[in-house]
Amino acid sequence: MTAALVAAGLGIIPGTAQAADPVPVAAGVAEAIAKASTSEGFHSPADRTIRTTLPGAAAANGKANAKTAAPQTASAAVAAADAGAAADAGANPALAVDVSGTSYTAHGIELTTLITSADFALGVVIDWGDGKTDTVTAQGNAELHHSHTYDKSGEYQVKVTVTDTANAVQAVNGGAFLTPGSDFTPHTPTRLLDTRNGTGAPAVKVPGLGSARVKVAGNAAVPAGVTAVALNVTVTETVDSGYVTAWPGAGYERPGTSNLNYTAGRSVPNLVIVPVGEDGYVELYNGGPEPVDLIADVTGYFTRASAGGYTSMTPARFVDTREGLGAPRGRLAARSAFTTRIGGLQGVPPGITAVALNVTVTEPEGPGHLTAYSGDGAVPTASNLNFVPGQTVANAVIVPVAADGTIKVFNGSWMPAHVVVDVVGYYSKDSKAAFLPFTPFRTLDTRVEAYGWPGGRFRAREYITQGFTPEAATGVEAYVLNTTVTETGGTGYLSVAPSAYPLPAEGAPAAPAGPRPGSSTLNWTAGATVPNLVQASDGDHGVITFWNQGYQDTDLVLDVFGVYQSK
């Protein structure tokens, strides 16, 4: 595991803050990005070069023969004859091009061009396949290196053309480059798995330490070639404590991280963004000792076809029914929905295709569930979070947005409940950041002295800062994290936001805290273990702040699942 390499700086710093010495920016994130983004590339060797004679070749050769035809000495005549023969055969017969492309970012290509040529001046044109070209010159044998960034994910035909004008000959080579990053397509929430009734798998509980396979590619209109999927995973009918881990399944090692945690008698949902295996499946592992039922609803998927990129934002509250913000004041009535506009408000542009939310239910008067969906769609059968009377529950949601910028939230309970909606980012055709999934790894666990953590609990009303983006990782828009609080001493909630300040230098005083966020990422009660997915921006300084907004200490665990990158 590379977990220990990621934490770049930590501090617990309210008031008379005492900060741990920052750990130098480490290689974990850069290593993960490099590994995720270098899996694609091409190499077209020199023997695949297409060599053509330009239209002016005959004239050039005739001109060369004419120049050597004037009577001179015998030796000059022989030289002239040799020159004419060389011109007829082409004076640069070895001209060839070897081209290879690879990448270290979601949208970038690093191109290496190896030219084999006699010592003539050459013109080189690189066609990147997206309507853009670069033009350079070379002389004889040459090795050229160029970089390019594509605006969107996709496959691009890269072509290098080398022209020897003096000898009227041209050589062409290239290949197809597939960007490592993937774009997002929203999907109407649709159930792919329900072990209670046999949807997508036999109607039998998933055994303890066993797993269920979920068919994604080719299922419910999700296309073949899908690289990752956004699933809302719910565990229910639990009789003991445990956890669930999602991973690509066959051919991949199951990571040591978890996506959601559960206790006896509770139904727990969590949004999961997970790579899809080459066979089109995702696997869900039950890490508990006893059987459970598992439910998985697709809410979107990632492909290398140009679709929606991601734009992060500092979490902003759009709806709070306790105050009448974004929806009528008062609890959302039983079996009813409200419509609220997202596109065009609070810095979110119109024309977005989907939105990343944190949806919270609070003060419910009975058990039930909430479902978020497009403002012009029908209520889906899938749910985003489940609750019991009096419980406060938050869950990350990615939901399609109607053409008018609206979404709806449906209360599936037979009793009213308050609803809070925070926006953390959005997807649109104008957004450039593509998703790069990682093999998940842990960056922090306050229960142990590791990952650069000095030890000790996550103290009440305090915060932890972590530096994420190393210098080598350019164009990072946001990180996909799983946050888990455990061993809680009372009620509280977690806020996650980019830091307004850089990490301090080693030995320097801690940076100021910045404003305390008003949004929530997850909520907990005493003795609970609560997970939630977070798509968090690290701001202008590569630093994310995690706030314990409760009045009792707790423990915090952070796992990294991927990154959105615009380069």
Side-chain angles (χ1 to χ4, degrees), residues 144-189:
L144 307 178
H145 297 274
H146 294 86
S147 300
H148 184 70
T149 300
Y150 294 102
D151 288 336
K152 300 297 292 181
S153 299
E155 183 177 84
Y156 296 91
Q157 297 296 326
V158 180
K159 182 175 69 173
V160 178
T161 302
V162 178
T163 303
D164 177 356
T165 304
N167 296 288
V169 64
Q170 191 173 80
V172 178
N173 203 350
F177 179 77
L178 191 62
T179 60
S182 301
D183 281 2
F184 181 75
T185 299
H187 192 290
T188 299

Side-chain angles (χ1 to χ4, degrees), residues 494-513:
L494 177 74
S495 295
V496 181
S499 174
Y501 302 96
L503 289 174
E506 185 174 355

Side-chain angles (χ1 to χ4, degrees), residues 111-411:
L111 192 72
T112 300
T113 303
L114 303 177
I115 301 173
T116 302
S117 172
D119 191 20
F120 290 100
L122 306 171
V124 182
V125 177
I126 302 169
D127 184 342
W128 297 107
D130 60 353
K132 299 176 182 178
T133 60
D134 283 342
T135 301
V136 297
T137 59
Q139 182 77 29
N141 292 334
E143 179 174 333
L144 307 178
H145 297 274
H146 294 86
S147 300
H148 184 70
T149 300
Y150 294 102
D151 288 336
K152 300 297 292 181
S153 299
E155 183 177 84
Y156 296 91
Q157 297 296 326
V158 180
K159 182 175 69 173
V160 178
T161 302
V162 178
T163 303
D164 177 356
T165 304
N167 296 288
V169 64
Q170 191 173 80
V172 178
N173 203 350
F177 179 77
L178 191 62
T179 60
S182 301
D183 281 2
F184 181 75
T185 299
H187 192 290
T188 299
T190 304
R191 188 141 293 172
L192 301 185
L193 174 74
D194 191 336
T195 60
R196 299 171 302 178
N197 59 23
T199 299
V204 59
K205 285 188 173 185
V206 180
L209 308 182
S211 62
R213 301 183 76 227
V214 184
K215 180 175 174 56
V216 176
N219 192 7
V222 177
V226 59
T227 58
V229 64
L231 296 174
N232 198 68
V233 177
T234 302
V235 60
T236 190
E237 304 295 335
T238 59
V239 295
D240 204 336
S241 298
Y243 65 91
V244 175
T245 296
W247 88 104
Y252 294 84
E253 183 178 354
R254 175 167 50 85
T257 54
S258 62
N259 293 97
L260 62 87
N261 303 72
Y262 60 85
T263 54
R266 287 291 179 94
S267 295
V268 181
N270 198 17
L271 182 67
V272 172
I273 298 178
V274 58
V276 177
E278 294 178 5
D279 60 358
Y281 282 78
V282 165
E283 199 150 343
L284 303 178
Y285 173 76
N286 172 21
E290 298 295 333
V292 299
D293 278 310
L294 291 176
I295 302 164
D297 302 316
V298 59
T299 64
Y301 56 86
F302 296 84
T303 66
R304 290 194 175 97
S306 178
Y310 184 69
T311 299
S312 64
M313 54 188 289
T314 299
R317 183 142 296 175
F318 273 61
V319 175
D320 190 337
T321 59
R322 298 169 299 182
E323 302 174 1
L325 174 65
R329 185 171 184 174
R331 289 180 174 85
L332 177 59
R335 310 296 297 176
S336 64
F338 64 73
T339 301
T340 190
R341 188 159 68 92
I342 304 294
L345 296 178
Q346 296 195 58
V348 178
I352 63 174
T353 57
V355 63
L357 308 172
N358 206 65
V359 178
T360 304
V361 63
T362 189
E363 302 176 26
E365 295 182 3
H369 67 271
L370 290 184
T371 299
Y373 56 104
S374 172
D376 59 4
V379 180
T381 57
S383 62
N384 294 109
L385 59 86
N386 304 74
F387 52 85
V388 296
Q391 187 181 21
T392 298
V393 182
N395 197 27
V397 178
I398 299 176
V399 59
V401 176
D404 64 356
T406 61
I407 65 166
K408 292 180 179 179
V409 178
F410 173 74
N411 176 13

